[in-house]
Short mmCIF file of all heavy atoms in Angstrom, two decimals:
data_model
loop_
_atom_site.label_atom_id
_atom_site.label_comp_id
_atom_site.label_asym_id
_atom_site.label_seq_id
_atom_site.Cartn_x
_atom_site.Cartn_y
_atom_site.Cartn_z
N ASP A 79 -23.16 127.57 -27.75
CA ASP A 79 -23.89 127.71 -26.47
C ASP A 79 -23.58 128.92 -25.74
O ASP A 79 -24.42 129.60 -25.21
CB ASP A 79 -23.70 126.47 -25.60
CG ASP A 79 -24.49 125.26 -26.03
OD1 ASP A 79 -25.53 125.54 -26.73
OD2 ASP A 79 -24.25 124.11 -25.83
N ILE A 80 -22.21 129.26 -25.65
CA ILE A 80 -21.81 130.45 -24.92
C ILE A 80 -22.43 131.68 -25.61
O ILE A 80 -22.88 132.64 -24.94
CB ILE A 80 -20.31 130.47 -24.83
CG1 ILE A 80 -19.77 129.34 -23.94
CG2 ILE A 80 -19.87 131.84 -24.26
CD1 ILE A 80 -18.32 129.25 -23.81
N ALA A 81 -22.35 131.74 -26.94
CA ALA A 81 -22.91 132.81 -27.73
C ALA A 81 -24.40 133.02 -27.32
O ALA A 81 -24.84 134.12 -27.02
CB ALA A 81 -22.77 132.68 -29.20
N LYS A 82 -25.16 131.92 -27.32
CA LYS A 82 -26.56 131.88 -26.95
C LYS A 82 -26.76 132.53 -25.64
O LYS A 82 -27.65 133.41 -25.38
CB LYS A 82 -27.13 130.54 -27.02
CG LYS A 82 -27.85 130.18 -28.27
CD LYS A 82 -28.62 128.89 -28.11
CE LYS A 82 -28.14 127.89 -29.14
NZ LYS A 82 -28.69 126.45 -28.88
N GLN A 83 -25.95 132.01 -24.68
CA GLN A 83 -26.12 132.48 -23.34
C GLN A 83 -25.71 133.96 -23.10
O GLN A 83 -26.62 134.66 -22.56
CB GLN A 83 -25.05 131.71 -22.53
CG GLN A 83 -25.40 131.13 -21.11
CD GLN A 83 -24.21 130.38 -20.69
OE1 GLN A 83 -23.07 130.97 -20.58
NE2 GLN A 83 -24.33 129.13 -20.39
N LEU A 84 -24.67 134.38 -23.83
CA LEU A 84 -24.30 135.84 -23.66
C LEU A 84 -25.24 136.78 -24.39
O LEU A 84 -25.55 137.88 -23.93
CB LEU A 84 -22.87 136.00 -24.07
CG LEU A 84 -21.79 135.41 -23.22
CD1 LEU A 84 -20.40 135.60 -23.77
CD2 LEU A 84 -21.91 135.91 -21.81
N ASN A 85 -25.75 136.28 -25.50
CA ASN A 85 -26.72 137.13 -26.25
C ASN A 85 -27.96 137.31 -25.37
O ASN A 85 -28.58 138.34 -25.27
CB ASN A 85 -27.02 136.47 -27.61
CG ASN A 85 -28.03 137.24 -28.39
OD1 ASN A 85 -27.92 138.43 -28.59
ND2 ASN A 85 -29.24 136.54 -28.82
N ASP A 86 -28.36 136.15 -24.82
CA ASP A 86 -29.66 136.21 -24.07
C ASP A 86 -29.47 137.14 -22.83
O ASP A 86 -30.24 137.91 -22.51
CB ASP A 86 -29.94 134.82 -23.60
CG ASP A 86 -31.40 134.66 -23.23
OD1 ASP A 86 -32.23 135.14 -24.11
OD2 ASP A 86 -31.68 134.05 -22.20
N ALA A 87 -28.36 137.00 -22.16
CA ALA A 87 -28.01 137.82 -21.02
C ALA A 87 -28.00 139.34 -21.40
O ALA A 87 -28.45 140.10 -20.66
CB ALA A 87 -26.67 137.43 -20.35
N ALA A 88 -27.35 139.57 -22.55
CA ALA A 88 -27.29 141.01 -23.00
C ALA A 88 -28.69 141.52 -23.37
O ALA A 88 -29.03 142.63 -22.98
CB ALA A 88 -26.39 141.05 -24.30
N ARG A 89 -29.49 140.72 -23.92
CA ARG A 89 -30.87 141.10 -24.19
C ARG A 89 -31.70 141.49 -22.99
O ARG A 89 -32.40 142.45 -22.87
CB ARG A 89 -31.58 140.08 -25.12
CG ARG A 89 -31.26 140.23 -26.55
CD ARG A 89 -32.05 139.25 -27.39
NE ARG A 89 -33.47 139.17 -27.06
CZ ARG A 89 -34.22 138.15 -27.36
NH1 ARG A 89 -33.79 137.08 -28.03
NH2 ARG A 89 -35.52 138.21 -27.08
N ARG A 90 -31.53 140.50 -22.00
CA ARG A 90 -32.26 140.67 -20.74
C ARG A 90 -31.84 141.94 -19.99
O ARG A 90 -32.59 142.70 -19.53
CB ARG A 90 -32.14 139.44 -19.84
CG ARG A 90 -33.40 138.57 -19.99
CD ARG A 90 -33.28 137.35 -19.07
NE ARG A 90 -32.20 136.51 -19.66
CZ ARG A 90 -31.25 136.04 -18.76
NH1 ARG A 90 -31.24 136.25 -17.48
NH2 ARG A 90 -30.27 135.27 -19.26
N ALA A 91 -30.50 142.09 -20.02
CA ALA A 91 -29.94 143.33 -19.28
C ALA A 91 -30.43 144.56 -20.03
O ALA A 91 -30.86 145.55 -19.30
CB ALA A 91 -28.45 143.14 -19.22
N TYR A 92 -30.37 144.54 -21.29
CA TYR A 92 -30.72 145.74 -22.06
C TYR A 92 -32.27 146.09 -21.86
O TYR A 92 -32.62 147.23 -21.67
CB TYR A 92 -30.48 145.35 -23.48
CG TYR A 92 -30.44 146.63 -24.46
CD1 TYR A 92 -29.22 147.38 -24.29
CD2 TYR A 92 -31.37 147.00 -25.36
CE1 TYR A 92 -29.09 148.53 -25.07
CE2 TYR A 92 -31.26 148.09 -26.09
CZ TYR A 92 -30.00 148.91 -26.00
OH TYR A 92 -29.95 150.02 -26.71
N MET A 93 -33.01 145.10 -21.72
CA MET A 93 -34.46 145.32 -21.51
C MET A 93 -34.71 145.92 -20.12
O MET A 93 -35.44 146.88 -19.95
CB MET A 93 -35.22 144.04 -21.65
CG MET A 93 -36.76 144.18 -21.81
SD MET A 93 -37.61 142.55 -21.65
CE MET A 93 -37.51 142.33 -19.88
N ARG A 94 -33.98 145.36 -19.19
CA ARG A 94 -34.10 145.93 -17.78
C ARG A 94 -33.58 147.40 -17.71
O ARG A 94 -34.21 148.27 -17.11
CB ARG A 94 -33.39 145.08 -16.79
CG ARG A 94 -34.21 143.78 -16.49
CD ARG A 94 -33.42 142.79 -15.69
NE ARG A 94 -33.11 143.27 -14.38
CZ ARG A 94 -32.19 142.77 -13.57
NH1 ARG A 94 -31.54 141.65 -14.03
NH2 ARG A 94 -31.94 143.17 -12.36
N VAL A 95 -32.54 147.61 -18.45
CA VAL A 95 -32.02 149.09 -18.54
C VAL A 95 -33.14 149.94 -19.17
O VAL A 95 -33.33 151.02 -18.67
CB VAL A 95 -30.70 149.07 -19.30
CG1 VAL A 95 -30.31 150.59 -19.57
CG2 VAL A 95 -29.61 148.34 -18.47
N GLY A 96 -33.66 149.46 -20.21
CA GLY A 96 -34.70 150.27 -20.88
C GLY A 96 -35.90 150.57 -20.02
O GLY A 96 -36.35 151.70 -20.03
N GLN A 97 -36.30 149.63 -19.25
CA GLN A 97 -37.38 149.92 -18.28
C GLN A 97 -37.01 150.86 -17.19
O GLN A 97 -37.67 151.77 -16.88
CB GLN A 97 -37.87 148.52 -17.63
CG GLN A 97 -38.73 147.67 -18.54
CD GLN A 97 -38.91 146.31 -18.04
OE1 GLN A 97 -38.18 145.86 -17.16
NE2 GLN A 97 -40.04 145.66 -18.38
N ALA A 98 -35.78 150.69 -16.69
CA ALA A 98 -35.33 151.55 -15.61
C ALA A 98 -35.19 153.04 -16.11
O ALA A 98 -35.42 153.90 -15.35
CB ALA A 98 -34.03 151.05 -15.10
N LEU A 99 -34.83 153.14 -17.38
CA LEU A 99 -34.49 154.58 -17.86
C LEU A 99 -35.50 155.18 -18.81
O LEU A 99 -35.38 156.16 -19.33
CB LEU A 99 -33.09 154.59 -18.55
CG LEU A 99 -31.93 154.17 -17.67
CD1 LEU A 99 -30.58 154.20 -18.44
CD2 LEU A 99 -31.83 155.02 -16.35
N ALA A 100 -36.66 154.42 -18.91
CA ALA A 100 -37.67 155.01 -19.87
C ALA A 100 -38.23 156.33 -19.29
O ALA A 100 -38.61 157.15 -20.20
CB ALA A 100 -38.85 153.97 -19.86
N PHE A 101 -38.06 156.62 -18.12
CA PHE A 101 -38.56 157.86 -17.59
C PHE A 101 -37.81 159.11 -18.12
O PHE A 101 -38.29 160.19 -18.22
CB PHE A 101 -38.58 157.94 -16.02
CG PHE A 101 -37.24 158.06 -15.52
CD1 PHE A 101 -36.71 159.33 -15.10
CD2 PHE A 101 -36.33 157.04 -15.38
CE1 PHE A 101 -35.44 159.51 -14.55
CE2 PHE A 101 -35.10 157.19 -14.83
CZ PHE A 101 -34.57 158.42 -14.44
N VAL A 102 -36.56 158.82 -18.49
CA VAL A 102 -35.71 160.03 -18.86
C VAL A 102 -36.21 160.77 -20.02
O VAL A 102 -36.41 161.99 -19.94
CB VAL A 102 -34.20 159.43 -19.17
CG1 VAL A 102 -33.35 160.66 -19.67
CG2 VAL A 102 -33.57 158.78 -17.98
N ASP A 103 -36.59 160.00 -21.08
CA ASP A 103 -37.15 160.77 -22.35
C ASP A 103 -38.44 161.38 -21.93
O ASP A 103 -38.68 162.55 -22.44
CB ASP A 103 -37.41 159.77 -23.41
CG ASP A 103 -36.01 159.40 -24.09
OD1 ASP A 103 -35.07 160.09 -23.79
OD2 ASP A 103 -36.03 158.46 -25.04
N ILE A 104 -39.37 160.81 -21.22
CA ILE A 104 -40.64 161.41 -20.94
C ILE A 104 -40.47 162.73 -20.03
O ILE A 104 -40.91 163.81 -20.36
CB ILE A 104 -41.47 160.44 -20.11
CG1 ILE A 104 -41.79 159.18 -21.01
CG2 ILE A 104 -42.90 161.07 -19.68
CD1 ILE A 104 -42.49 158.07 -20.28
N GLU A 105 -39.61 162.59 -19.04
CA GLU A 105 -39.31 163.76 -18.23
C GLU A 105 -38.55 164.88 -19.00
O GLU A 105 -38.84 166.01 -18.69
CB GLU A 105 -38.55 163.33 -16.90
CG GLU A 105 -39.44 162.55 -15.97
CD GLU A 105 -38.82 162.36 -14.59
OE1 GLU A 105 -37.99 163.14 -14.19
OE2 GLU A 105 -39.15 161.34 -13.96
N LEU A 106 -37.62 164.43 -19.81
CA LEU A 106 -36.88 165.44 -20.66
C LEU A 106 -37.86 166.24 -21.51
O LEU A 106 -37.79 167.47 -21.63
CB LEU A 106 -35.91 164.77 -21.48
CG LEU A 106 -34.46 164.70 -21.16
CD1 LEU A 106 -33.63 163.89 -22.10
CD2 LEU A 106 -33.93 166.10 -20.97
N ALA A 107 -38.83 165.52 -22.13
CA ALA A 107 -39.74 166.17 -23.02
C ALA A 107 -40.62 167.14 -22.20
O ALA A 107 -40.88 168.33 -22.65
CB ALA A 107 -40.64 165.11 -23.70
N LYS A 108 -40.99 166.81 -21.03
CA LYS A 108 -41.77 167.76 -20.24
C LYS A 108 -40.91 168.95 -19.78
O LYS A 108 -41.40 170.12 -19.78
CB LYS A 108 -42.31 167.06 -18.96
CG LYS A 108 -43.38 166.02 -19.25
CD LYS A 108 -43.97 165.59 -17.90
CE LYS A 108 -44.93 164.39 -18.10
NZ LYS A 108 -45.17 163.52 -16.97
N LEU A 109 -39.71 168.72 -19.39
CA LEU A 109 -38.81 169.82 -18.99
C LEU A 109 -38.64 170.69 -20.17
O LEU A 109 -38.80 172.00 -19.98
CB LEU A 109 -37.42 169.22 -18.65
CG LEU A 109 -36.25 170.23 -18.49
CD1 LEU A 109 -36.46 171.10 -17.23
CD2 LEU A 109 -34.95 169.52 -18.37
N LEU A 110 -38.38 170.29 -21.41
CA LEU A 110 -38.14 171.19 -22.49
C LEU A 110 -39.46 171.93 -22.94
O LEU A 110 -39.41 173.05 -23.30
CB LEU A 110 -37.57 170.38 -23.67
CG LEU A 110 -36.25 169.78 -23.42
CD1 LEU A 110 -35.70 168.92 -24.64
CD2 LEU A 110 -35.10 170.87 -23.15
#
Side-chain angles (χ1 to χ4, degrees):
D79 282 337
I80 293 175
K82 260 192 243 174
Q83 222 176 54
L84 291 180
N85 177 54
D86 204 46
R89 276 183 48 201
R90 262 181 292 132
Y92 201 71
M93 196 188 76
R94 285 171 64 195
V95 168
Q97 283 171 336
L99 298 182
F101 76 97
V102 176
D103 281 353
I104 299 173
E105 290 189 26
L106 257 180
K108 284 186 189 159
L109 168 70
L110 297 176

